[in-house]
Amino acid sequence: MSVLIFIDQAEGHIKKSSLEALTYGAELAVQLGTNAEGIVLGEVKDDLTALGKQGVKKIQHVNNSALNHLDAQVYTKAIAEAVAATGAKVVVFSHNLSGKAIAPRLSAKLKAAMVAGAVGLPNTSGGFVVKKNVFSGKAFANISLNTDIKIISLNPNSFHITNGDGVAEVVSQNFATGVSPKIKVTAVNKVTGEVPLSEAELVVSAGRGLKGPENWGMIEEMAHLLHAATACSRAVADAGWRPHHEHVGQTGLAIAPNLYIAIGISGAIQHLAGVNRSKVIVVINKDPEAPFFKAADYGIVGDAFDVVPKMNAAIKKMKGL
Amino acid sequence: MKILVCISKTPDTTAKIAFTDNNTKFAQDGVQWIINPYDEWYALVRAIELKEKDAGTIIHLVTAGAADAEPIIRKALALGGDEAIRINTDSHDSYYIAAQIAEVAKQGGYDLVFTGKETIDYNGSSIGGMVAELLNLPYVSLATKFELNGTTATITREIEGGEEVCEVSLPVAVSCQKGMAEARIPNMRGIMAARTKPLKVVEPAAIDALTSIVSFELPPAKAGVKLVSPDTPEELVRLLHEEAKII
């Protein structure tokens, strides 16, 4: 009856989105009156016993270098073996890049009902119903999972991380041993020295209103002061002012940070589709008719070149810098 | 080389989102339907580019939908693709659709199965992975580049804070996102040719859905924007710190 949580690592380090999934799974286990266990695939550098802080008692670890890189087929096989070994009835993933690859495979393999992109714990009074985002953040759907084994992938940044003082027991396993991955990773190109946009809690984003790439200094300064990631609109990425991986919106990245500051972005519906799950939206635009103000929590109708440096000065003062 | 491209019909990005029947159904009145943008711009166009390089390539399109999905599939054929298969069924859930597509794919002997990274209505990002599992294929999700050398594919995929390059032998299933290709517009020749391209209708296999929709709901309306004077940007910083408690 237990809950099994897939814990995702990159280069041996546990991802933040997995700690959210871990906390979610542990709280779900309490709700269901059962235990939560985690599963980690591949070699890790972090201390796995520390995952007890998020409330799980046991971690199943397959310490096999063949599993260091994501091959969804092999990962699915390993997790399916873990489901059989632990008797898990609910499997929790983060709806992050790996979760999107693995969770649907596991659903098809086990014929287990899945909700992709859950935003909260299930309603288990008389069924098993999970709320998820639909229509690119414009609505929610309540989905009933109608099979014995259930799979939930949790939207990143939609659940808190607890930090208790538990210590997890780590059990070494050899799931999916002897299966060689068909996908061979030949190069990893990481953007270093920045907060990854998909995991950022605070995001400072700018658009065509900035007039040219040479004017991004004040945006980067604000991001630096707030420990935020930088993002941009499609027009800016297409013009080559900023790299494509910074583009948020329907065709770019969809993000859900705690704070999204949009500077000189009008807020076309395609852009909103990528950011409307942000908890607080701040819009700075000199056009009072910019549609973005309708989706904003705070705003300033004003010239970014005047407002942003003053905000940066105020942030410095606030932080005692 | 045979490529299967999965096509989904979605409401236009600008469609008004509302629900009927006690919030259990999407209100379709006045809604414009489009090819799911990720299926069209990235999956289909990349497949067409591969055919342009190697004329022996055959592209099949598959969609699961009722007769009202035909304008969408004809539009996809106008962009490119040799023939289309429509599985004559209403949408149930991701697993149901994926299992139907897998049934079609099993009969086609495809080297590549392309999907968009997700649909813009259900945002599940599920069909590609499910189809891959049902066909026992390796699956590269969220691909931003795809190159082919003989029977080896070199695929770039997104990772947190960057990209990684991987190699895999065909057959393989790939979910496609920005970077794979540039959006195209169908030309008149394509539109004329699409009218006579084969569009085969097949009946669905007996498959049970695993989930059901209990209800839809709209997010609570925003309280409205709190505007701060451009003369006092420090006041905005104070509000974010003290009121929103977010910085």
Side-chain angles (χ1 to χ4, degrees):
Chain A
M1 185 58 210
S2 66
V3 176
L4 181 71
I5 304 116
F6 172 67
I7 303 156
D8 193 12
Q9 54 86 15
E11 294 169 348
H13 298 292
I14 304 301
K15 295 180 191 171
K16 177 187 151 236
S17 48
S18 283
L19 300 184
E20 295 163 3
L22 205 51
T23 304
Y24 179 95
E27 293 192 12
L28 175 58
V30 171
Q31 183 181 328
L32 297 172
T34 180
N35 294 320
E37 297 183 24
I39 175 162
V40 179
L41 303 179
E43 295 171 315
V44 282
K45 293 170 184 152
D46 296 350
D47 174 17
L48 294 180
T49 62
L51 298 175
K53 288 180 186 169
Q54 279 78 48
V56 289
K57 300 269 188 301
K58 204 187 265 185
I59 300 291
Q60 313 275 350
H61 182 209
V62 185
N63 189 10
N64 177 352
S65 62
L67 301 178
N68 286 1
H69 288 289
L70 171 66
D71 181 319
Q73 198 170 19
V74 182
Y75 272 41
T76 301
K77 189 167 191 308
I79 297 166
E81 287 177 22
V83 169
T86 59
K89 292 296 179 201
V90 184
V91 190
V92 177
F93 292 85
S94 171
H95 196 55
N96 62 10
L97 301 168
S98 324
K100 287 174 183 175
I102 310 160
R105 285 199 82 119
L106 189 69
S107 168
K109 189 177 184 70
L110 303 179
K111 272 202 176 186
M114 174 173 92
V115 62
V119 295
L121 286 165
N123 179 344
T124 49
S125 57
F128 199 103
V129 177
V130 190
K131 187 189 275 197
K132 75 169 294 249
N133 273 119
V134 288
F135 296 104
S136 304
K138 284 182 275 189
F140 299 102
N142 294 297
I143 309 283
S144 172
L145 304 186
N146 305 331
T147 54
D148 185 33
I149 297 178
K150 299 163 178 74
I151 298 173
I152 300 172
S153 74
L154 174 71
N155 255 348
N157 215 19
S158 59
F159 208 75
H160 59 272
I161 297 172
T162 54
N163 268 307
D165 48 13
V167 176
E169 177 197 351
V170 179
V171 184
S172 187
Q173 295 286 9
N174 55 4
F175 302 132
T177 303
V179 183
S180 15
K182 290 183 190 155
I183 294 171
K184 196 173 91 192
V185 173
T186 55
V188 176
N189 307 315
K190 289 203 88 163
V191 185
T192 50
E194 293 174 35
V195 183
L197 190 50
S198 54
E199 295 199 348
E201 292 181 3
L202 308 178
V203 175
V204 182
S205 185
R208 249 186 320 202
L210 257 69
K211 299 195 170 76
E214 66 280 8
N215 296 323
W216 247 260
M218 62 183 185
I219 303 299
E220 283 170 349
E221 186 187 4
M222 183 184 280
H224 177 72
L225 290 169
L226 295 173
H227 298 291
T230 50
C232 69
S233 66
R234 178 177 179 160
V236 162
D238 284 353
W241 295 0
R242 298 296 292 179
H244 273 290
H245 65 78
E246 282 199 1
H247 163 204
V248 292
Q250 183 182 278
T251 48
L253 206 59
I255 54 172
N258 295 337
L259 174 65
Y260 184 75
I261 303 179
I263 300 164
I265 302 175
S266 64
I269 198 153
Q270 290 81 356
H271 185 77
L272 291 179
V275 302
N276 58 14
R277 292 190 289 117
S278 308
K279 293 194 181 77
V280 173
I281 293 178
V282 173
V283 171
I284 296 161
N285 202 300
K286 64 180 177 187
D287 175 10
E289 302 299 321
F292 221 147
F293 282 114
K294 288 199 177 71
D297 299 282
Y298 297 95
I300 290 182
V301 179
D303 185 351
F305 294 98
D306 176 44
V307 168
V308 174
K310 285 182 182 161
M311 278 184 74
N312 287 348
I315 295 166
K316 271 188 198 161
K317 202 170 151 194
M318 182 187 84
K319 298 213 170 202
L321 296 170
Chain B
M1 171 73 52
K2 270 184 94 175
I3 309 175
L4 183 67
V5 181
C6 305
I7 300 285
S8 184
K9 181 188 95 166
T10 60
D12 183 69
T13 312
T14 57
K16 181 177 158 47
I17 305 302
F19 304 100
T20 62
D21 293 29
N22 215 7
N23 286 326
T24 57
K25 287 201 172 73
F26 174 61
Q28 305 200 0
D29 284 358
V31 169
Q32 282 265 15
W33 296 93
I34 57 170
I35 308 172
N36 180 47
Y38 305 114
D39 302 346
E40 175 183 341
W41 298 339
Y42 308 125
L44 176 56
V45 175
R46 189 67 192 121
I48 293 167
E49 289 173 354
L50 292 171
K51 188 180 167 81
E52 285 165 353
K53 270 194 186 166
D54 171 8
T57 301
I58 295 166
I59 302 173
H60 286 180
L61 315 179
V62 62
T63 196
D68 63 1
E70 293 205 354
I72 296 304
I73 201 98
R74 286 280 175 212
K75 191 194 163 194
L77 284 170
L79 280 160
D82 298 292
E83 62 175 81
I85 302 148
R86 176 171 71 81
I87 305 160
N88 188 28
T89 177
D90 284 325
S91 179
H92 293 265
D93 73 349
S94 305
Y95 175 78
Y96 177 89
I97 299 295
Q100 299 295 350
I101 291 172
E103 287 301 315
V104 166
K106 276 175 195 165
Q107 289 159 36
Y110 298 100
D111 304 288
L112 283 170
V113 178
F114 278 178
T115 66
K117 72 162 179 174
E118 63 182 48
T119 59
I120 62 168
D121 49 6
Y122 285 95
N123 308 111
S125 216
S126 304
I127 299 287
M130 288 178 173
V131 170
E133 183 64 29
L134 294 167
L135 298 174
N136 199 24
L137 295 180
Y139 178 49
V140 180
S141 56
L142 302 158
T144 57
K145 284 191 192 81
F146 180 96
E147 298 298 337
L148 206 53
N149 307 299
T151 56
T152 302
T154 303
I155 308 172
T156 304
R157 67 180 170 189
E158 186 188 350
I159 56 171
E160 277 83 4
E163 290 181 334
E164 66 186 14
V165 183
C166 45
E167 281 181 4
V168 58
S169 295
L170 303 187
V172 60
V174 182
S175 87
C176 308
Q177 64 167 335
K178 188 175 179 178
M180 283 289 270
E182 289 298 323
R184 294 184 178 188
I185 298 166
N187 57 29
M188 192 45 79
R189 210 171 121 233
I191 294 166
M192 297 303 285
R195 289 182 186 170
T196 54
K197 285 180 182 172
L199 196 170
K200 199 164 86 182
V201 179
V202 299
E203 290 305 313
I207 285 152
D208 291 324
L210 309 177
T211 65
S212 49
I213 293 169
V214 177
S215 60
F216 290 102
E217 56 190 84
L218 293 169
K222 284 253 178 189
V225 57
K226 192 178 241 183
L227 285 176
V228 173
S229 160
D231 302 326
T232 56
E234 61 278 6
E235 172 64 5
L236 176 57
V237 172
R238 188 192 69 78
L239 286 168
L240 292 176
H241 182 58
E242 291 176 11
E243 186 179 88
K245 295 186 171 40
I246 217 156
I247 63 171

